[in-house]
Amino acid sequence: MAALTKNQSKGLSEAEVLNQCTAYLTARGIYHWRQNTGAFKVENRFIRTGMKGVSDILGVLPGGRLLAIEVKREKGGKLSAAQKEFIDAINSRNGCAIVVHSLAELIERLERFF
C-alpha cells in the first residue's frame, strides 16, 4: 500500500469542504452567503475587513434563525479563540452556529433544526 501524501493525510481542504457546504445549502434553498474576512496593509497601517472570528458562511434558516457555519478542513482544523467566541455569542442568542469538517457533518447538524 502506498504511503499517504501530506494532502491525503489531511483529507479535504477547507476550501473543498466550504464549496460542498455552499452547494448543499443552495440545493436545500437555504439563504446564505460567504463571509470573507481578512486584513491588508495600506502604507504603514493594517486595514481589517469583516469582524474578527465571524464564521465562514452566514445565512438564515427557514423560520428566521441566524445560521453561522465555521468550516474547517476535514482533518485537524482548529477553532481560534475569536471563532469560538463568535459561535458562543450566536448560540447564546438563539441562533444556530456550528463547526463542520465535512458535508456529512453539516447535513447531520442541520437536521436538528428542521
Side-chain angles (χ1 to χ4, degrees), residues 13-71:
S13 70
E14 184 172 315
E16 291 168 318
V17 175
L18 191 138
N19 289 337
Q20 290 178 355
C21 290
T22 57
Y24 174 77
L25 293 170
T26 298
R28 286 287 308 260
I30 297 172
Y31 184 70
H32 67 282
W33 59 95
R34 171 76 169 96
Q35 186 64 43
N36 291 312
T37 62
F40 58 95
K41 189 172 183 178
V42 175
E43 296 175 3
N44 292 327
R45 61 189 185 125
F46 280 96
I47 307 294
R48 177 165 291 285
T49 60
M51 187 172 92
K52 189 173 183 179
V54 71
S55 293
D56 298 307
I57 302 169
L58 297 178
V60 181
L61 290 170
R65 288 179 76 184
L66 175 67
L67 172 65
I69 304 168
E70 181 60 41
V71 178

Side-chain angles (χ1 to χ4, degrees), residues 14 34-35 37 51-57 68-72 77-91 97-99:
E14 184 172 315
R34 171 76 169 96
Q35 186 64 43
T37 62
M51 187 172 92
K52 189 173 183 179
V54 71
S55 293
D56 298 307
I57 302 169
I69 304 168
E70 181 60 41
V71 178
K72 295 296 180 189
K78 304 245 191 267
L79 285 178
S80 70
Q83 290 167 333
K84 182 174 180 351
E85 185 177 310
F86 181 81
I87 288 167
D88 291 346
I90 298 303
N91 285 329
I98 57 178
V99 180

